[in-house]
Amino acid sequence: MKINFKNNFIASVIISYLLFVQISLHGQQKNQTSYSNNLAKNAMSVSTESKIEALIKTLTLKEKVALCHAQSKFSTKGVERLGIPEIWMSDGPHGVRAEINWDNWKYAGWTNDSITAFPALTCLAASFNPELSSQYGFSLGEEARYRKKDVLLGPGVNIYRTPLNGRNFEYMGEDPFLASTLVVPYIKGVQKNGVAACVKHYVLNNQEHWRSKINVEVGDRALYEIYLPAFKASVKEAGVWAIMGAYNKFRGKYTTHNPILHKILKSDWKYDGVVISDWSSAHSTEESALYGLDLEMGTGTDGLGTSTNDFYSQYYLAAPFLKGLKNGDFPESLVDDKVRRILRLMFRTNMSANRPLGNANTKAHHDVARRVATDGIVLLKNEKNFFPIKDDKNVTIAVIGENATRSMTAGGGSSELKAKFEISPLEGIKARYKNATITHAMGYQTGPSRYNQVIPPTLDLDSLKTEAIKTARNADIVLFIGGLNKSHLQDCEGDDRLQFGLPFGQVDLLNDIYKVNKNIGFILVTGNAVEMPWLDKVNALVETWYLGSMSGHAIADVISGDVNPSGKLPFSFPVKLEDNAAHFFGTSSYPGENMTQYYKEDILVGYRWHDTKKIKPLYAFGYGLSYTSFTISDIKTDKKTYTTEDSITVSCRLNNTGLLDGSEVVQVYVGKQKSKVKRALKELKGFQKVSVNSGKQYSVDINIPVKSLSFYDEAISDWNLEKGDYIVYVGNASNNISKKTKITIN
Ligand code: BGC
């Protein structure tokens, strides 16, 4: 980029910037860590803020407007005469997406854009492990930096409301506290690289069906208590630099330019970063200008496959915005605020002097991906000690199912990745089991993963089934590797699943296999809960999510016992769809009627619904087995009575009473029985993942600020901490509580 010094003032701004670059570069060689720490801090220095103000004074109106919208599918224009660079963005939450063409959605076909695919965010949530989330974010940020991206379009923290949502795999489950706790270290990790995380989709984008039109009607309590906390934590605790609007409407107005952006995000939470539209989620110049959108992306496409070429100058925040500013329809302060935020983003990223260079596909990244994967895999059922499976030369293991070999980094929508490699479950199992005989049959086949198309299979389904039954009959152990995939109407952006049960005839196939071999373990590869009328046909069940590059190795680690499973479900698995709160209320609640839906379950989302309404789930939030056994004892709170400013310390002793080393997640829920408002029976307020060797014990202390027990009081439009008695529940799953203790808040 050429820099043209037009006047002395600009030159002095640039020279001081270059000086800053030099000094900082020098510092970088000396102390990389302290640089990272500074970058992670949210507040800009006074001198940077004054540089930003000086730049705003220097920019022409036209240049300011040009900063507020895209110039290509994933980039924005800079200001060449001032040396203000372009901003480059990329999806998405699980890895850095392959390069897309300048002006259409096709892949550019580069040969140097393959990366590490990290596990899906459901898996990260299931790990209940904030330390791993930090490593995940940092490694991903390094890859984004290496690929010269300034903004990484992720993570996603929309709450899991219905198991049909095609995009749940990109999110962190049904509990706001879990999602908040895990999203903060991820964001800090990404941003340590001088790459902005962009938390999405703000807000209430809880289904893909009709996502670009649906109007969500939800009460303030559910909004503040369930759907906003992870965004709030991203802003206030992680200091996130970018937030993406959503496609849907809230109370009749599109969320990308909605009064809640100013009211909640920018005013109440004092967010000083950029609001970026989702791709084509802006709908009006006036509303984009007035209601908090800073940077418009993707307009002129349907967000899925089609484009209007070179439409950028016609964006709502392009020529029409400039016209409105010139006419005096909008004050210049409006565009200045957007530009201020965009320049702040740049000083944090592409105008930051000495951000690290990043790297990709390193062993360290693959190790992190494998650790997150093994930490997040959830063992749901394990009868007759089916798992772990020994590598015995006298044993034949039949691996059946399309998901044993199907790529799960391809498809799914914008989170699709071009992984440098992806170890399939079958490859992972073959690599681990050197002595046992591994046989394989596909059993069923679906078409390739495509964004918004269902592609028919090409093979003969009857012969696939016959072959699978034969393979199963001749084996000692059957590993059925099935579930969903990343095709349209499965776990895929753009629409929702059409059925809660397993698709593609898998249940019929399983039943037929059961007739010839009853020793079956099911490896469920999904990002969502599924119906399981077949559960009694399998001895064991393990939920492995979508695990990315190291998928097969991670699955082999767990089923062989090299790693003892410790993942916990980040959302409930209902027995049947109507047991889920959103579905209980019928079509006006999901998917909506006449393009409006009412979140009638209000705050009772997920386990809050199951617990409070006494509807037993098939598998409960927070549940997950281990190959060893634990007891939680000596459970107590540090006091019986607390004031509103206190913190409650819940302590207990975790004993590993089994024969293997392992990790357990101690979970603390709190509930208020007598309340002036409707309450969930209990809510997760603290947890800790602890690893304990066989026969050993570990003391656990979990702190809970009393203020976090407040509810959002619609009568006063603020948080309200009720005095009185509360019950503290401690256990290792929402449905397995070891002890309840009463405390009082005065
Ligand atoms: C998705 C976003 C994504 C964007 C760019 C949209 O369709 O909703 O999450 O970041 O496309 O690919």
Side-chain angles (χ1 to χ4, degrees):
M1 182 159 302
K2 277 178 278 157
I3 299 175
N4 185 4
F5 295 94
K6 280 244 162 95
N7 63 41
N8 287 343
F9 171 73
I10 304 163
S12 77
V13 171
I14 293 168
I15 287 167
S16 71
Y17 170 66
L18 291 176
L19 218 65
F20 169 68
V21 170
Q22 257 191 341
I23 292 166
S24 315
L25 272 175
H26 185 68
Q28 182 194 24
Q29 288 149 8
K30 283 195 176 155
N31 191 346
Q32 183 66 60
T33 323
S34 81
Y35 167 71
S36 299
N37 290 341
N38 289 339
L39 252 186
K41 278 188 199 144
N42 198 34
M44 301 254 66
S45 68
V46 177
S47 72
T48 309
E49 288 292 352
S50 52
K51 273 180 205 152
I52 291 171
E53 293 311 314
L55 280 170
I56 290 175
K57 288 204 183 91
T58 314
L59 290 162
T60 66
L61 201 55
K62 201 172 162 201
E63 286 168 340
K64 289 178 187 174
V65 170
L67 288 171
C68 298
H69 61 87
Q71 65 164 355
S72 75
K73 283 275 170 278
F74 283 93
S75 73
T76 68
K77 260 201 180 66
V79 182
E80 200 175 329
R81 77 177 175 97
L82 295 177
I84 296 176
E86 299 168 335
I87 299 175
W88 279 87
M89 312 183 190
S90 175
D91 285 304
H94 310 142
V96 189
R97 193 179 182 183
E99 297 299 327
I100 306 265
N101 281 342
W102 183 267
D103 200 25
N104 66 48
W105 282 105
K106 294 210 176 77
Y107 284 109
W110 291 17
T111 51
N112 57 355
D113 58 350
S114 50
I115 42 66
T116 305
F118 293 89
L121 291 193
T122 40
C123 175
L124 180 63
S127 77
F128 277 65
N129 191 333
E131 170 51 31
L132 270 187
S133 180
S134 167
Q135 293 175 24
Y136 184 130
F138 186 73
S139 312
L140 176 52
E142 284 195 317
E143 300 225 347
R145 179 68 189 102
Y146 182 80
R147 289 269 310 277
K148 299 194 175 9
K149 305 302 174 194
D150 308 308
V151 180
L152 181 85
L153 303 173
V157 289
N158 294 98
I159 289 292
Y160 188 111
R161 177 174 182 256
T162 154
L164 298 190
N165 179 10
R167 232 176 154 178
N168 278 334
F169 72 96
E170 280 188 67
Y171 302 141
M172 298 203 190
E174 71 186 20
D175 182 74
F177 179 76
L178 176 66
S180 303
T181 309
L182 288 172
V183 79
V184 169
Y186 174 118
I187 293 169
K188 287 185 175 169
V190 170
Q191 294 190 168
K192 272 183 190 159
N193 293 284
V195 172
C198 179
V199 176
K200 61 196 192 182
H201 307 85
Y202 187 85
V203 60
L204 298 164
N205 183 185
N206 304 109
Q207 69 189 45
E208 287 297 285
H209 194 60
W210 297 333
R211 68 175 178 176
S212 56
K213 293 199 184 81
I214 190 78
N215 174 40
V216 177
E217 294 290 334
V218 61
D220 275 354
R221 263 195 86 191
L223 178 68
Y224 279 89
E225 291 183 24
I226 305 292
Y227 297 101
L228 285 176
F231 289 99
K232 185 176 181 184
S234 304
V235 172
K236 300 199 58 132
E237 290 169 49
V240 73
W241 297 336
I243 286 188
M244 188 187 289
Y247 284 121
N248 52 289
K249 294 178 185 172
F250 165 60
R251 297 186 186 155
K253 280 195 182 308
Y254 283 106
T255 45
T256 292
H257 32 65
N258 188 300
I260 52 165
L261 289 173
H262 275 306
K263 160 81 187 71
I264 299 175
L265 187 62
K266 292 184 173 176
S267 170
D268 293 353
W269 300 346
K270 313 229 172 331
Y271 173 61
D272 72 354
V274 179
V275 174
I276 302 178
S277 72
D278 199 343
W279 269 234
S280 207
S281 71
H283 294 271
S284 121
T285 295
E286 190 183 337
E287 296 192 357
S288 300
L290 296 176
Y291 296 140
L293 176 63
D294 301 310
L295 184 45
E296 182 187 358
M297 299 298 294
T299 309
T301 86
D302 62 4
L304 297 177
T306 59
S307 311
T308 307
N309 284 347
D310 204 13
F311 189 58
Y312 310 102
S313 59
Q314 296 311 312
Y315 273 29
Y316 298 108
L317 287 185
F321 186 35
L322 183 61
K323 193 166 158 219
L325 285 160
K326 281 186 176 158
N327 288 346
D329 297 343
F330 310 120
E332 193 161 346
S333 58
L334 212 58
V335 69
D336 285 352
D337 181 58
K338 298 181 195 304
V339 169
R340 185 174 294 117
R341 290 165 181 277
I342 291 164
L343 289 174
R344 223 177 253 140
L345 176 85
M346 291 187 180
F347 274 100
R348 287 166 165 157
T349 59
N350 57 9
M351 284 178 27
S352 162
N354 57 343
R355 52 184 183 155
L357 294 174
N359 50 46
N361 294 309
T362 59
K363 170 146 190 332
H365 293 181
H366 301 153
D367 288 349
V368 168
R370 187 166 179 167
R371 272 205 301 281
V372 173
T374 53
D375 232 58
I377 288 175
V378 187
L379 180 65
L380 293 171
K381 174 175 178 177
N382 198 20
E383 278 170 14
K384 301 180 186 159
N385 291 326
F386 184 91
F387 291 126
I389 300 172
K390 284 205 188 71
D391 184 14
D392 186 332
K393 72 173 178 4
N394 299 319
V395 165
T396 298
I397 304 172
V399 175
I400 311 276
E402 193 191 33
N403 286 358
T405 49
R406 187 181 176 91
S407 165
M408 294 297 181
T409 56
S414 58
S415 63
E416 171 170 71
L417 294 172
K418 181 172 164 188
K420 180 128 190 159
F421 63 87
E422 178 181 354
I423 307 293
S424 72
L426 181 64
E427 283 169 334
I429 290 167
K430 280 188 169 164
R432 173 61 181 79
Y433 288 87
K434 299 282 190 222
N435 300 317
T437 305
I438 309 293
T439 55
H440 166 242
M442 209 168 173
Y444 62 94
Q445 190 219 12
T446 64
S449 289
R450 290 280 160 77
Y451 205 149
N452 54 1
Q453 282 170 295
V454 177
I455 313 284
T458 49
L459 301 177
D460 176 52
L461 296 181
D462 284 340
S463 16
L464 286 179
K465 195 175 189 182
T466 312
E467 186 205 359
I469 294 167
K470 193 171 143 211
T471 310
R473 182 184 285 121
N474 295 334
D476 303 293
I477 296 172
V478 176
L479 286 178
F480 193 105
I481 308 192
L484 305 174
N485 62 32
K486 298 285 196 68
S487 296
H488 184 52
L489 304 175
Q490 300 296 316
D491 281 327
C492 182
E493 180 182 342
D495 213 333
D496 290 345
R497 297 164 62 200
L498 296 177
Q499 62 185 88
F500 185 41
L502 283 178
F504 318 128
Q506 290 176 79
V507 179
D508 284 348
L509 176 62
L510 185 71
N511 285 335
D512 286 346
I513 287 175
Y514 183 77
K515 286 178 199 150
V516 298
N517 190 332
K518 300 206 169 7
N519 198 17
I520 307 172
F522 201 119
I523 295 179
L524 190 62
V525 182
T526 71
N528 256 318
V530 296
E531 194 174 34
M532 299 184 194
W534 41 265
L535 189 56
D536 60 354
K537 300 264 174 12
V538 302
N539 284 331
L541 173 66
V542 62
E543 170 63 77
T544 69
W545 320 111
Y546 299 112
L547 298 178
S549 294
M550 301 300 275
S551 180
H553 287 323
I555 289 172
D557 286 344
V558 169
I559 66 171
S560 65
D562 292 346
V563 173
N564 194 347
S566 62
K568 302 282 177 178
L569 290 181
F571 48 81
S572 318
F573 277 52
V575 175
K576 53 185 192 303
L577 197 55
E578 305 75 57
D579 290 353
N580 162 281
H583 292 273
F584 177 85
F585 292 100
T587 52
S588 62
S589 165
Y590 177 91
E593 289 166 2
N594 306 317
M595 283 305 156
T596 289
Q597 64 181 159
Y598 298 88
Y599 283 15
K600 292 186 177 165
E601 73 284 8
D602 194 39
I603 55 162
L604 297 182
V605 175
Y607 68 88
R608 288 166 166 78
W609 173 260
H610 287 283
D611 270 4
T612 313
K613 299 289 176 185
K614 301 197 172 15
I615 300 172
K616 264 193 160 181
L618 181 64
Y619 288 116
F621 173 86
Y623 171 81
L625 300 170
S626 165
Y627 297 146
T628 187
S629 51
F630 293 97
T631 58
I632 306 176
S633 57
D634 290 347
I635 299 170
K636 48 184 184 287
T637 55
D638 57 334
K639 296 195 275 182
K640 285 282 154 231
T641 306
Y642 296 87
T643 70
T644 55
E645 299 306 312
D646 282 345
S647 200
I648 306 160
T649 303
V650 180
S651 59
C652 64
R653 198 177 297 279
L654 179 67
N655 297 278
N656 182 339
T657 51
L659 298 176
L660 296 170
D661 299 346
S663 298
E664 179 60 294
V665 180
V666 178
Q667 303 167 35
V668 183
Y669 298 81
V670 182
K672 175 127 188 54
Q673 281 171 322
K674 284 189 199 124
S675 170
K676 68 174 198 181
V677 291
K678 170 176 67 189
R679 293 270 191 166
L681 180 76
K682 63 185 193 300
E683 299 180 303
L684 184 71
K685 295 292 174 187
F687 64 83
Q688 199 177 317
K689 187 166 204 170
V690 188
S691 84
V692 190
N693 289 350
S694 164
K696 300 280 185 237
Q697 46 176 271
Y698 191 91
S699 295
V700 180
D701 282 337
I702 295 175
N703 292 317
I704 300 169
V706 167
K707 286 227 169 84
S708 73
L709 307 184
S710 308
F711 71 96
Y712 189 82
D713 192 342
E714 295 182 347
I716 56 168
S717 297
D718 205 352
W719 294 93
N720 186 347
L721 180 60
E722 268 188 303
K723 310 253 161 80
D725 295 344
Y726 288 76
I727 308 289
V728 177
Y729 305 77
V730 180
N732 70 350
S734 66
N735 67 343
N736 191 26
I737 299 302
S738 309
K739 189 178 171 187
K740 295 192 241 174
T741 321
K742 193 167 88 181
I743 56 159
T744 308
I745 312 290
N746 281 333

